[in-house]
Amino acid sequence: MERLRAHMNNTAFHHTVFSLPFALMGALLAAGGNPPLGDLGWIVLAITAARSAALALDNLADLKYDKQQPRLAYRAMVQGRVTKKEALVFIGVCLLVLVFAVLQLNPVCIRLLPFAAVPFLIYPYMKRVTGWVHLFLGIAIGMAPAGGWVAISGKVELPTVVLFIAVALWIAAFDAMYGAQDEEFDRSQGLHSLAVTFGAHGAFQLARAMHIFSILLFIALGMMMHLAFPYYIGVGIAAGTLVYQHRIASSTNFSRVTQMYFMRNGIVSIAIFVFTWISYLV
């Protein structure tokens, strides 16, 4: 049990809240509000396995940096509670589970899986290359709703792309804000981020623009899908959450940019998914 807790810590299992609700939302929209329960189960398993492998790979790739970062001292790999070998085995098992789950879904999913996997396989290394690393994280997580949609419909449609971009921008923006607190550390290690490239203030400004565009895309999605009014309540809650996040966060004072700040973004995914579901019930 202790080993299981260590791996859950290493993969930040609670961060599933950022991708899973949107994966289910993609399935819900593709099915017109009534996706098969069996398919939903396989989608949940596939998304959980994929993001667990991705987080373990990210922590493995960044271990030498994380060990020098006091803010990350709690992580299982930093503390030695999960070894590199154990992490590699865990990643392998998760990838096998992912493939097995995807094989139970629409046949097109297994053919598209390599393309969906590329972003989360390369993301851990992009901070060594570009300040736009946060967009690669957004793209990786944006694959969740796109995957949920394709798993049900078997095809990529315009609303699929709109949902994908909306989620990708939402993730990229709050990751850029959260990561801005590491600007000095990243500079010292030769790593890249929007804060390193444009300064913390510039990163916050770009994040604000991405969040605005994201909300506009969620509104456009509702109009394209002719969703009922409850959907827009969910988008409103999401927008209010993001406005609050931007009000309490400052590019000159990161005292309130905490794990609670990070996890509060889960309200966005949960609210939009729940009210999407409700919109089919009214």
Side-chain angles (χ1 to χ4, degrees), residues 148-214:
W149 191 299
V150 174
I152 300 299
S153 71
K155 54 188 176 181
V156 177
E157 302 169 278
L158 180 58
T160 321
V161 177
V162 173
L163 177 58
F164 163 76
I165 297 175
V167 171
L169 289 176
W170 163 63
I171 287 287
F174 85 72
D175 186 65
M177 293 171 67
Y178 187 77
Q181 63 188 309
D182 295 329
E183 178 184 355
E184 291 185 12
F185 176 81
D186 289 346
R187 287 185 190 278
S188 70
Q189 300 297 317
L191 299 174
H192 300 273
S193 70
L194 284 182
V196 170
T197 304
F198 300 104
H201 179 71
F204 270 59
Q205 292 292 98
L206 287 168
R208 185 176 293 109
M210 285 189 282
H211 273 152
I212 291 172
F213 194 28
S214 176

Side-chain angles (χ1 to χ4, degrees), residues 112-123:
L112 293 177
L113 181 59
F115 299 98
V118 166
F120 79 69
L121 291 175
I122 67 172
Y123 160 70

